[in-house]
Structure formats: C-alpha cells, structure tokens
Amino acid sequence: MFRILGGLVSPSGARGRLSILIYHRALPSPDPILHDSIDAAQFERHMALLAADFNVLPLSEACTRLSRGQLPARAVSITFDDGYADNESVALPILRRYGLTATFFVATGFSDGQIMFNDAVIEAVRSASAGTYDLSTLGVGVRSLADSESRRATIDAIVGRLRYQTLNERALLVERLIAALRSTLPKDLMMTPAQVKRLHDENMEIGGHTINHPLLASLDEQQARAEIVGGKHRLEEITGAPVKLFAYPSGKPGRDYGSRDVQLVREAGFAAAFSTVVGIANASSDPLQLPRFGAWDRNPNRLGVRLLMGCVRAAPAAPALQPQY
Ligand SMILES: [Zn+2]
C-alpha cells in the first residue's frame, strides 16, 4: 500500500524527501512506567514496515544523496539518541534481521556506568519501595508511591522541574532524591565502549551527541566546544573511524542550541547535524540542522501514513519524556 502512494508524495531525485526517525530506548518488553518507549515487538513491526515499503538508507549516505539530488523515493533513515544499552542488545539484532542500518548518537560521558539525569529520576522512583515520601526539597511535595501511575506522575513532576537547571543543580537534586527514596541506580543502562564498538563493527553508524548531554545554549563557547569536540574524539577513539554526524542534545533551535553551536559543529568537522524540529528534510534544508521526527506510533501503519504524507506537522505533540532527548 505504501509503495504506490509513496512514489507520489515522496518522489526520487531533486524533489526527494528524507524522513529521519528518532528512537531512544528499545525495551526488551513493555514497561508501564516507560509507556512512551517502544518495546522489541513494536520496534520489529516498525522495521518490518520500513523494510517492505520504504528505502531505508544509512544516514550518511542519505545526507550525501540529499545534497546531490539523488535520493530514492520513500527515503527513510533510522536514528537512536543517547546511547542506551538496549540499542545494542535489543535493537541491533532486529535491525540485522531486516538488513537495515541505523545511526546511534551517543553521549560519551555515560559509558562507564553513569546515567542521564532523567533516567536517574525514573530509576530512583521505579526502584523505591512502596510508601509515602516527603519530596518537598525537590519541589514536588509529599508523594505516595504505590502503583505505576503514581510513580510515573512523580517522575514527570520531578523531571519537569529539573529540565532547565544546570548540570550541577541537577546532580545535587538527583542525589537528594536517591537519598530520600533510599534507591539504587542501575550501572548498565547505557552502552559501554565495547557495545558502541560492536554497533560500529556491525556496520551501524555512530554519531556525536556531546559528552554530558548539556543544553549547548546554556554553555559558554569554550564549554560548548569541549562538549562537541570531546564527544567526537572519544567516539573516534572507541570506533577507530571518523565520526561525521552529530545530533544536538534535546535539539530545539533557539532553546537548546543556537547559531554559535551550529558553527562549532561545522568547525569540529561534522558533515551533517540533526535537530529535533519535527519535519522531513528536502533539498532546501540546512545540512547542519536537518529535521527529524519521533517514531512513537504503536500502530506501524500510522507511522507509515505519517512517513508518506508528511503530516508530521499535524501529529500530536511528542510524549513528555523520551522523544525530547
Ligand atoms: Zn539526547
């Protein structure tokens, strides 16, 4: 069905359009606390649809073809942000089964058992024993944690408060949260360097995503450059290959990164970079700010329709947690 329609709305050549999908987690099984992350079965249905009806290209090849007006019809690229371990353990075998290539944007500062602040909140609240906790020092009052709904509501409230604080402030508040809930955090949520290398060795692409996943706009120029260049160099050390693609953390222009950061990305030697602006890339898109969109659809046919019709602009807003990172 998508093949015929797709040739009309997503033609090949100079009028070609490139849909770049964003994934984050690929959970081994459904999780009510992470209801906005897709699981292995859903990811497999997405890949089956893409392999059957679309032309999935490695992202670097797709960007080169886009710039030369040589995209095939129904062109799609698959990306994962942040570097979760399940990308290697769950998504990789499925990608291989369908013969598809994806690009993994890895924030390198978390590869030795560290965890991003939003995940620290999720995991601290998830693993807390059922009970009532005074979290007023975190600005979210007294909370009763019992079922997955109450845990999820608490997570959303805390993440909402922490999102635009500095890295140091976040670290302090997360520490306070862990102490208040008497939780422990997992050490294996993010990929190790060996897992990143394995993705590279399996012909997947690895892209830069800074070291510590800061909002680049909140940093001075020296800090922003160190984050962009440092992450790139670390990934090149791990893979032994040049890293030419970059995704801006959080990715909204003007809010999360600015024109200075685009320039820093250019100076660092990246050939293409990606925002989280919702859209489909075409010949007039800025190669250092290419739009993408979240692949959160439970029903793969809905994803197919969105891919074809370019109706992503009219799609519902992305769920609160995952697709914004
Ligand atoms: Zn991210």
Side-chain angles (χ1 to χ4, degrees):
M1 161 171 81
F2 293 119
R3 246 170 207 287
I4 299 161
L5 279 173
L8 299 173
V9 297
S10 179
S12 60
R15 288 174 50 237
R17 293 154 64 84
L18 173 64
S19 296
I20 307 168
L21 298 177
I22 310 175
Y23 291 94
H24 289 82
R25 306 286 310 268
L27 303 173
S29 53
D31 182 328
I33 292 182
L34 295 173
H35 56 72
D36 50 10
S37 290
I38 67 162
D39 60 58
Q42 289 160 342
F43 184 66
E44 173 134 21
R45 286 197 287 276
H46 284 191
M47 296 307 105
L49 170 83
L50 294 181
D53 285 348
F54 292 85
N55 288 308
V56 178
L57 300 173
L59 187 56
S60 53
E61 179 188 338
C63 291
T64 304
R65 284 171 171 256
L66 175 64
S67 68
R68 294 180 182 166
Q70 294 173 347
L71 277 178
R74 307 181 309 280
V76 176
S77 289
I78 302 161
T79 69
F80 280 81
D81 280 16
D82 301 338
Y84 289 97
D86 59 28
N87 294 179
E88 188 267 346
S89 59
V90 177
L92 176 65
I94 297 170
L95 288 163
R96 290 191 57 192
R97 206 172 311 139
Y98 288 90
L100 301 175
T101 299
T103 297
F104 297 84
F105 293 107
V106 179
T108 56
F110 305 97
S111 62
D112 59 346
Q114 302 298 306
I115 188 166
M116 300 204 313
F117 92 93
N118 52 316
D119 291 313
V121 173
I122 290 168
E123 297 302 326
V125 174
R126 180 218 297 277
S127 63
S129 307
T132 301
Y133 298 92
D134 183 358
L135 301 178
S136 38
T137 57
L138 288 116
V140 297
V142 175
R143 294 270 169 168
S144 165
L145 301 182
D147 50 14
S148 52
E149 282 85 49
S150 59
R151 289 175 196 267
R152 181 59 197 220
T154 301
I155 289 166
D156 289 345
I158 298 170
V159 169
R161 290 193 68 87
L162 296 191
R163 178 163 290 142
Y164 291 101
Q165 299 193 338
T166 66
L167 289 177
N168 286 343
E169 288 165 342
R170 285 179 189 174
L172 188 69
L173 288 170
V174 165
E175 225 167 79
R176 238 182 248 165
L177 176 68
I178 292 165
L181 297 179
R182 294 180 293 282
S183 300
T184 51
L185 298 181
K187 296 277 185 210
D188 57 356
L189 194 69
M190 310 308 283
M191 279 192 280
T192 62
Q195 287 177 300
V196 174
K197 177 74 163 64
R198 168 132 196 266
L199 288 177
H200 171 75
D201 291 346
E202 296 281 355
N203 292 321
M204 300 292 147
E205 295 188 305
I206 305 297
H209 199 44
T210 74
I211 302 172
N212 295 302
H213 205 280
L215 300 177
L216 290 168
S218 71
L219 303 182
D220 67 32
E221 183 170 331
Q222 197 183 348
Q223 292 169 323
R225 183 182 290 109
E227 284 283 346
I228 293 164
V229 174
K232 182 178 196 286
H233 287 170
R234 178 70 184 123
L235 291 172
E236 290 174 340
E237 209 171 74
I238 292 169
T239 61
V243 169
K244 305 295 281 182
L245 308 173
F246 179 82
Y248 300 93
S250 297
K252 291 282 185 284
R255 187 191 74 178
D256 303 330
Y257 73 92
S259 52
R260 177 204 67 188
D261 305 306
V262 177
Q263 185 56 28
L264 290 175
V265 165
R266 187 193 318 274
E267 287 169 15
F270 288 104
F274 306 86
S275 71
T276 57
V277 168
V278 175
I280 300 182
N282 61 33
S284 63
S285 303
D286 178 352
L288 289 177
Q289 296 188 78
L290 292 168
R292 298 186 290 170
F293 61 97
W296 61 84
D297 305 81
R298 293 290 179 270
N299 177 345
N301 285 331
R302 239 187 85 70
L303 174 64
V305 169
R306 285 202 301 133
L307 279 167
L308 281 195
M309 305 311 289
C311 63
V312 288
R313 288 174 199 287
L321 275 182
Q322 294 297 341
Q324 299 189 1
Y325 290 84

Coordinates of all heavy atoms in Angstrom, one line a residue, residues 164-202:
Y164 N 15.5 22.4 33.1 CA 16.3 23.6 32.7 C 17.2 24.1 33.8 O 17.5 25.2 33.9 CB 15.3 24.6 32.2 CG 14.8 24.2 30.9 CD1 13.5 23.6 30.7 CD2 15.6 24.1 29.7 CE1 13.0 23.1 29.5 CE2 15.2 23.6 28.5 CZ 13.9 23.1 28.4 OH 13.4 22.6 27.2
Q165 N 17.6 23.2 34.7 CA 18.6 23.6 35.7 C 20.0 23.2 35.2 O 20.1 22.4 34.3 CB 18.3 22.9 37.1 CG 16.9 23.4 37.5 CD 16.6 23.0 39.0 OE1 17.2 22.1 39.5 NE2 15.7 23.7 39.6
T166 N 21.0 23.7 35.8 CA 22.3 23.4 35.4 C 22.7 22.0 35.7 O 22.0 21.3 36.6 CB 23.4 24.3 36.0 OG1 23.4 24.0 37.4 CG2 23.1 25.8 35.8
L167 N 23.7 21.4 35.1 CA 24.2 20.1 35.4 C 24.4 19.9 36.9 O 24.1 18.8 37.4 CB 25.4 19.7 34.6 CG 25.2 19.6 33.1 CD1 26.6 19.3 32.4 CD2 24.2 18.4 32.7
N168 N 25.1 20.9 37.5 CA 25.4 20.7 38.9 C 24.2 20.7 39.8 O 24.1 19.9 40.7 CB 26.4 21.9 39.3 CG 27.8 21.7 38.8 OD1 28.1 20.6 38.4 ND2 28.5 22.7 38.8
E169 N 23.2 21.6 39.5 CA 22.0 21.6 40.2 C 21.2 20.3 40.1 O 20.7 19.8 41.1 CB 21.1 22.8 39.7 CG 21.6 24.2 40.1 CD 20.9 25.3 39.4 OE1 20.3 25.0 38.3 OE2 21.0 26.4 39.8
R170 N 21.2 19.8 38.9 CA 20.5 18.5 38.6 C 21.2 17.4 39.4 O 20.5 16.6 40.1 CB 20.6 18.1 37.2 CG 19.7 18.9 36.2 CD 20.0 18.4 34.9 NE 19.4 19.2 33.8 CZ 19.6 18.9 32.5 NH1 20.4 18.0 32.1 NH2 19.0 19.7 31.6
A171 N 22.5 17.4 39.4 CA 23.2 16.3 40.1 C 22.9 16.3 41.6 O 22.7 15.3 42.2 CB 24.7 16.4 39.8
L172 N 22.8 17.5 42.1 CA 22.6 17.7 43.6 C 21.2 17.2 43.9 O 20.9 16.5 44.9 CB 22.7 19.2 43.9 CG 22.7 19.5 45.4 CD1 23.9 18.9 46.1 CD2 22.6 21.0 45.6
L173 N 20.2 17.6 43.1 CA 18.8 17.2 43.3 C 18.6 15.7 43.2 O 17.8 15.1 43.9 CB 17.9 18.0 42.4 CG 17.8 19.5 42.9 CD1 17.0 20.4 41.8 CD2 17.1 19.7 44.2
V174 N 19.3 15.2 42.2 CA 19.1 13.7 42.0 C 19.7 13.0 43.2 O 19.1 12.0 43.6 CB 19.8 13.3 40.6 CG1 20.0 11.8 40.6 CG2 19.0 13.7 39.4
E175 N 20.8 13.5 43.7 CA 21.4 12.9 44.9 C 20.4 12.9 46.1 O 20.3 11.9 46.8 CB 22.7 13.7 45.3 CG 23.9 12.9 45.6 CD 25.1 13.8 45.6 OE1 25.3 14.5 46.7 OE2 25.9 13.8 44.7
R176 N 19.8 14.1 46.2 CA 18.8 14.2 47.3 C 17.6 13.3 47.1 O 17.1 12.7 48.0 CB 18.3 15.7 47.2 CG 18.5 16.4 48.5 CD 17.8 17.8 48.3 NE 18.9 18.8 48.3 CZ 18.7 20.1 48.0 NH1 17.5 20.5 47.5 NH2 19.6 21.0 48.0
L177 N 17.2 13.1 45.8 CA 16.1 12.2 45.5 C 16.5 10.7 45.9 O 15.7 10.0 46.5 CB 15.8 12.3 44.0 CG 14.7 11.3 43.5 CD1 13.3 11.7 44.1 CD2 14.6 11.3 42.0
I178 N 17.6 10.3 45.5 CA 18.1 9.0 45.8 C 18.1 8.7 47.3 O 17.7 7.7 47.8 CB 19.5 8.7 45.1 CG1 19.3 8.7 43.6 CG2 20.0 7.4 45.6 CD1 20.6 8.8 42.9
A179 N 18.6 9.7 48.0 CA 18.7 9.6 49.5 C 17.3 9.5 50.1 O 17.0 8.7 50.9 CB 19.5 10.8 50.1
A180 N 16.4 10.4 49.6 CA 15.0 10.4 50.2 C 14.3 9.1 49.9 O 13.5 8.6 50.7 CB 14.3 11.6 49.6
L181 N 14.5 8.5 48.7 CA 13.8 7.3 48.3 C 14.6 6.0 48.7 O 14.0 4.9 48.6 CB 13.6 7.3 46.8 CG 12.7 8.4 46.3 CD1 12.6 8.2 44.8 CD2 11.3 8.4 46.9
R182 N 15.8 6.2 49.2 CA 16.7 5.1 49.5 C 16.8 4.1 48.3 O 16.6 2.9 48.5 CB 16.2 4.3 50.8 CG 16.3 5.2 52.0 CD 15.8 4.5 53.3 NE 14.4 4.3 53.3 CZ 13.5 5.2 53.5 NH1 13.8 6.5 53.8 NH2 12.2 4.9 53.5
S183 N 17.0 4.7 47.1 CA 17.1 3.9 45.9 C 18.5 3.6 45.5 O 19.4 4.3 45.9 CB 16.4 4.7 44.7 OG 15.1 4.9 45.0
T184 N 18.7 2.7 44.6 CA 20.0 2.5 44.0 C 19.8 2.6 42.5 O 18.7 2.2 42.0 CB 20.6 1.1 44.3 OG1 19.7 0.1 44.1 CG2 21.1 1.1 45.7
L185 N 20.8 3.0 41.7 CA 20.6 3.2 40.3 C 21.3 2.1 39.6 O 22.4 1.6 40.0 CB 21.2 4.6 39.9 CG 20.5 5.8 40.5 CD1 21.2 7.1 40.0 CD2 19.0 5.8 40.2
P186 N 20.8 1.7 38.4 CA 21.5 0.6 37.6 C 22.8 1.2 37.0 O 22.9 2.4 36.8 CB 20.5 0.3 36.5 CG 19.6 1.6 36.4 CD 19.6 2.2 37.8
K187 N 23.7 0.3 36.8 CA 25.0 0.7 36.2 C 25.1 0.3 34.7 O 26.1 0.6 34.1 CB 26.2 -0.1 36.9 CG 26.3 0.3 38.4 CD 27.1 1.6 38.5 CE 27.4 1.9 40.0 NZ 27.5 3.4 40.1
D188 N 24.1 -0.4 34.2 CA 24.2 -0.9 32.9 C 23.1 -0.4 31.9 O 22.7 -1.0 31.0 CB 24.1 -2.4 32.9 CG 22.8 -2.9 33.6 OD1 22.0 -2.1 34.1 OD2 22.6 -4.1 33.6
L189 N 22.6 0.8 32.2 CA 21.5 1.4 31.4 C 22.1 1.9 30.1 O 21.4 1.7 29.0 CB 20.8 2.5 32.1 CG 19.5 3.0 31.5 CD1 18.4 1.9 31.7 CD2 19.0 4.3 32.1
M190 N 23.3 2.4 30.1 CA 23.8 3.0 28.8 C 24.9 2.0 28.3 O 25.5 1.2 29.0 CB 24.5 4.4 29.1 CG 23.6 5.3 29.9 SD 21.9 5.6 29.2 CE 22.3 6.7 27.8
M191 N 25.2 2.2 27.0 CA 26.2 1.3 26.3 C 27.6 1.6 26.9 O 28.0 2.7 27.2 CB 26.2 1.6 24.8 CG 25.1 0.9 24.1 SD 25.4 1.0 22.3 CE 24.9 2.7 21.9
T192 N 28.3 0.5 27.0 CA 29.7 0.5 27.3 C 30.5 0.8 26.0 O 29.9 0.7 24.9 CB 30.2 -0.8 27.8 OG1 30.0 -1.8 26.8 CG2 29.5 -1.3 29.1
P193 N 31.7 1.2 26.1 CA 32.5 1.4 24.9 C 32.5 0.2 24.0 O 32.4 0.2 22.8 CB 33.9 1.8 25.4 CG 33.7 2.4 26.7 CD 32.5 1.7 27.3
A194 N 32.6 -1.0 24.6 CA 32.6 -2.3 23.8 C 31.3 -2.4 23.0 O 31.3 -2.9 21.9 CB 32.8 -3.5 24.8
Q195 N 30.2 -2.0 23.6 CA 28.9 -2.1 22.9 C 28.8 -1.1 21.7 O 28.3 -1.4 20.7 CB 27.7 -1.9 23.9 CG 27.5 -3.1 24.8 CD 26.4 -2.8 25.8 OE1 26.4 -1.8 26.6 NE2 25.3 -3.6 25.8
V196 N 29.4 0.1 22.0 CA 29.4 1.1 20.9 C 30.3 0.5 19.7 O 29.9 0.6 18.5 CB 30.0 2.4 21.4 CG1 30.2 3.4 20.2 CG2 29.1 3.0 22.5
K197 N 31.4 -0.1 20.1 CA 32.3 -0.6 19.1 C 31.6 -1.7 18.3 O 31.8 -1.9 17.1 CB 33.6 -1.2 19.8 CG 34.6 -1.9 18.9 CD 35.3 -0.8 18.1 CE 36.6 -1.4 17.5 NZ 36.5 -2.4 16.5
R198 N 30.8 -2.5 19.1 CA 30.1 -3.7 18.4 C 29.2 -3.1 17.3 O 29.1 -3.7 16.2 CB 29.4 -4.5 19.5 CG 28.4 -5.5 18.9 CD 28.6 -6.9 19.5 NE 27.9 -7.8 18.6 CZ 26.6 -8.2 18.8 NH1 25.9 -7.7 19.8 NH2 26.0 -9.0 17.9
L199 N 28.4 -2.1 17.7 CA 27.5 -1.5 16.7 C 28.3 -1.0 15.5 O 27.9 -1.3 14.3 CB 26.8 -0.2 17.3 CG 25.7 -0.5 18.4 CD1 25.2 0.8 18.9 CD2 24.6 -1.3 17.8
H200 N 29.4 -0.4 15.7 CA 30.2 0.1 14.6 C 30.7 -1.1 13.7 O 30.6 -1.1 12.5 CB 31.4 0.9 15.1 CG 32.5 1.2 14.1 ND1 32.3 2.1 13.1 CD2 33.7 0.6 13.8 CE1 33.3 2.2 12.3 NE2 34.2 1.3 12.7
D201 N 31.1 -2.2 14.4 CA 31.6 -3.4 13.7 C 30.5 -4.1 12.9 O 30.8 -4.8 12.0 CB 32.3 -4.3 14.7 CG 33.6 -3.8 15.3 OD1 34.1 -2.8 14.7 OD2 34.1 -4.3 16.3
E202 N 29.3 -3.9 13.4 CA 28.2 -4.5 12.7 C 27.6 -3.6 11.6 O 26.5 -3.6 11.1 CB 27.0 -4.8 13.6 CG 27.4 -5.8 14.7 CD 27.3 -7.3 14.2 OE1 26.9 -7.4 13.0 OE2 27.7 -8.2 14.9

